[in-house]
Amino acid sequence: MRSCASTGIEGMEKILEVKGLKKTYHRDKNSLTAVEDVSFDVGKGECLGLVGESGCGKSTIAKIITHLTVPDAGSVRLGGQETLFLKGKRERALYRDIQMVFQDPQDSFDPRCTLGDGIMEGMRSQGMKKARAKERMYRLLEMVELDAEMAFRYPHEVSGGQCQRAAIARALAPDPQLVICDEATSALDVTVQGQIIKLLKRLRAGQGLSMLLICHDLALVQDFCDRVLVMYKGRVVEEGTPDEVIRHPREAYTRKLVDSVF
Amino acid sequence: MTPLLDVRHVEVSYDGTPAVHDVSFQMDPGEILGIVGESGSGKSTVVKAAMGLLGNSGAVTRGDIYYKGENVVDGGDDKLRKMRGPSMGMIFQNTEASLCPIRTVGDQLYESVSQHEKVSRKEVRERALGFFDKMSLADGERILDSYPFELSGGMNQRVGIMMAMILHPDLLFADEPTSALDVTVQAQVVKEMMEMRDLYGTAIVLVTHNMGVVEYMADKIAVMYRGDLVEYGKTEDIIHHPQEGYTKELLGAVLRIHRD
């Protein structure tokens, strides 16, 4: 098994197994291969970082895993089950099992709904009774260290940091198997960023979350992730523990990336 | 020696509500000042006040700002317009958004330069190419003939720097000039800005969130918090011996990579 050897997490139960992903975007007569032969695993309770410059294919991978786009080739397994061709009920279950936290929290909530309704929406659409959803929503707010009163606020009435906490609560609501954070802290002030990272660390330890952290901040990856993949022009060029990759980069691109950090 | 920029006890209000209170600092020619602080702390407001770009709802309600000994606040629009461009330049976070999408970069560059000097298109083009040469950008011709959307984010930022620097201003305001860029591109643009300073002796006011960039570039740092300038001093003093609680919190929140 090539992928086991290359990822070095043999023996660990795998939540996500991605193999041979390929995606080409077409427009008119032009085509762009965004992702080329990408394979990796995320172990249970593990946090995998995905770094690389804009356009290297990081977000395309997240889109494929969350069924927002269809790859040209490859396989994505969640908890051992192939997810790429799921339809109907099973596809809806996938939407529950993989959750995302986005870069701009204010943009990711419906501006006409309160944060409380935003957090409950997913639970309700999965068929949970209103009273139970409400109770869970308040528990989630407490978990992300927000006052219960925040449930009645609208996204534009709270700060970016508070809104991102609510977005994390929303992601945790269905007890997901995998949480994908796509630049979840990069739009926040440095001090707020620090608070959100602390919260994510606490949740990781407490809930045993498995995470895929897409980001371009190597310092955050070194602080937060168990393993990291470096992507360049659609391919994975290097992988290892953050310490290995940052202290002894093997590829020229990784070295350039590390040297660029001030 | 008269300082290049002298900001004295400035208070700025928007619609009667003070957004910045009692801010004072001085800059010498060729100096780089980093202004740091969270969103809404008044960093950009200070820059806008110095450039006379507060708009209709904002005004300097107390204090004065002197540029080369002349009062900017009471200067009037005409005087300011003559200053902005040849004497003070500005770079924004997203140059692409500040350019016209349906005209080429070269065209817009000519428009901007011809507002201040009597020049031919050819002359502007040659100066721009010379400038790109200094930045070691090979395909200057292509950049000038491109529309902003055809260029990458890093290329657009360089266009912004070039457009601001082509008139050789003595003072450059850079508001988050590299925050939207990839780290590798950011590193290049930061180095290019330092070269500009060494080449032309341009003083730079750098507004940013990135403490790493500030530490690398700035001679002095001003820390702003909720409209107040809470700490101001030499870069190494602020970084290694912060005095104020907020500065300590800010520096403590910065994650650094450990290379060894």
Side-chain angles (χ1 to χ4, degrees), chain B residues 146-212:
Chain B
S146 296
Y147 295 95
F149 65 85
E150 295 178 316
L151 300 172
S152 66
M155 232 19 121
N156 266 308
Q157 278 321 89
R158 288 174 171 117
V159 166
I161 294 173
M162 187 264 295
M163 282 179 116
M165 289 299 298
I166 202 160
L167 295 159
H168 302 316
D170 298 310
L171 178 60
L172 181 68
F173 291 101
D175 196 347
E176 302 277 8
T178 61
S179 319
L181 304 177
D182 280 317
V183 277
T184 50
V185 182
Q186 167 169 280
Q188 282 163 19
V189 172
V190 161
K191 279 173 193 146
E192 284 160 16
M193 285 175 67
M194 293 296 276
E195 275 165 33
M196 291 296 128
R197 195 268 296 258
D198 297 342
L199 221 52
Y200 301 112
T202 314
I204 302 175
V205 177
L206 175 75
V207 174
T208 182
H209 278 89
N210 191 320
M211 292 304 290

Side-chain angles (χ1 to χ4, degrees), chain B:
Chain B
M1 191 171 71
T2 349
L4 181 70
L5 184 71
D6 190 355
V7 175
R8 290 192 203 161
H9 305 289
V10 162
E11 179 188 89
V12 182
S13 307
Y14 289 107
D15 294 323
T17 318
V20 162
H21 342 98
D22 197 20
V23 166
S24 303
F25 60 85
Q26 285 85 38
M27 283 180 75
D28 290 328
E31 182 182 311
I32 299 182
L33 171 72
I35 305 184
V36 299
E38 59 197 37
S39 339
S41 62
K43 308 185 295 282
S44 298
T45 297
V46 169
V47 168
K48 284 182 191 157
M51 286 204 85
L53 291 175
L54 285 168
N56 288 332
S57 59
V60 176
T61 40
R62 242 175 242 168
D64 280 305
I65 301 173
Y66 294 91
Y67 178 73
K68 293 188 181 169
E70 283 200 63
N71 197 325
V72 180
V73 178
D74 305 328
D77 278 353
D78 275 355
K79 207 164 104 187
L80 268 170
R81 196 166 298 130
K82 287 204 182 91
M83 246 189 242
R84 286 193 295 247
S87 205
M88 296 175 181
M90 171 117 204
I91 309 169
F92 301 93
Q93 175 165 1
N94 184 355
T95 299
E96 191 183 340
S98 65
L99 293 173
C100 174
I102 56 166
R103 292 165 59 213
T104 62
V105 166
D107 207 22
Q108 296 183 60
L109 177 70
Y110 170 71
E111 183 192 22
S112 135
V113 176
S114 65
Q115 292 293 308
H116 303 285
E117 289 174 32
K118 225 174 136 49
V119 282
S120 68
R121 282 179 183 271
K122 202 169 154 231
E123 218 178 310
V124 172
R125 204 175 166 86
E126 268 158 22
R127 261 159 70 183
L129 291 175
F131 208 87
F132 282 137
D133 231 27
K134 283 197 186 105
M135 286 165 119
S136 323
L137 292 179
D139 46 358
E141 294 271 358
R142 181 184 68 88
I143 297 172
L144 290 178
D145 293 331
S146 296
Y147 295 95
F149 65 85
E150 295 178 316
L151 300 172
S152 66
M155 232 19 121
N156 266 308
Q157 278 321 89
R158 288 174 171 117
V159 166
I161 294 173
M162 187 264 295
M163 282 179 116
M165 289 299 298
I166 202 160
L167 295 159
H168 302 316
D170 298 310
L171 178 60
L172 181 68
F173 291 101
D175 196 347
E176 302 277 8
T178 61
S179 319
L181 304 177
D182 280 317
V183 277
T184 50
V185 182
Q186 167 169 280
Q188 282 163 19
V189 172
V190 161
K191 279 173 193 146
E192 284 160 16
M193 285 175 67
M194 293 296 276
E195 275 165 33
M196 291 296 128
R197 195 268 296 258
D198 297 342
L199 221 52
Y200 301 112
T202 314
I204 302 175
V205 177
L206 175 75
V207 174
T208 182
H209 278 89
N210 191 320
M211 292 304 290
V213 171
V214 169
E215 193 180 338
Y216 179 80
M217 281 186 74
D219 303 306
K220 282 187 184 165
I221 293 180
V223 184
M224 293 200 60
Y225 183 63
R226 299 196 173 166
D228 286 309
L229 199 159
V230 291
E231 199 159 352
Y232 171 54
K234 287 206 177 104
T235 300
E236 37 310 357
D237 293 345
I238 303 261
I239 298 282
H240 299 296
H241 311 287
Q243 303 296 317
E244 292 299 316
Y246 175 70
T247 315
K248 285 178 191 163
E249 190 191 336
L250 184 67
L251 289 167
V254 176
L255 291 173
R256 289 178 187 279
I257 72 168
H258 305 284
R259 290 188 172 90
D260 39 42

Side-chain angles (χ1 to χ4, degrees), chain A residues 188-227:
Chain A
L188 304 172
D189 281 320
V190 186
T191 45
V192 181
Q193 208 171 48
Q195 291 159 11
I196 296 289
I197 291 163
K198 221 158 123 190
L199 171 70
L200 285 173
K201 274 186 181 165
R202 239 202 43 232
L203 292 172
R204 249 192 92 192
Q207 320 275 314
L209 290 180
S210 312
M211 290 178 73
L212 183 62
L213 188 83
I214 299 178
C215 97
H216 61 255
D217 184 351
L218 278 177
L220 173 58
V221 165
Q222 195 172 29
D223 186 56
F224 198 82
C225 297
D226 302 308
R227 265 183 324 126

Side-chain angles (χ1 to χ4, degrees), chain A residues 32-52:
Chain A
L32 174 88
T33 300
V35 172
E36 178 86 69
D37 192 24
V38 167
S39 305
F40 62 87
D41 301 333
V42 180
K44 197 170 163 62
E46 189 190 35
C47 178
L48 177 70
L50 200 55
V51 300

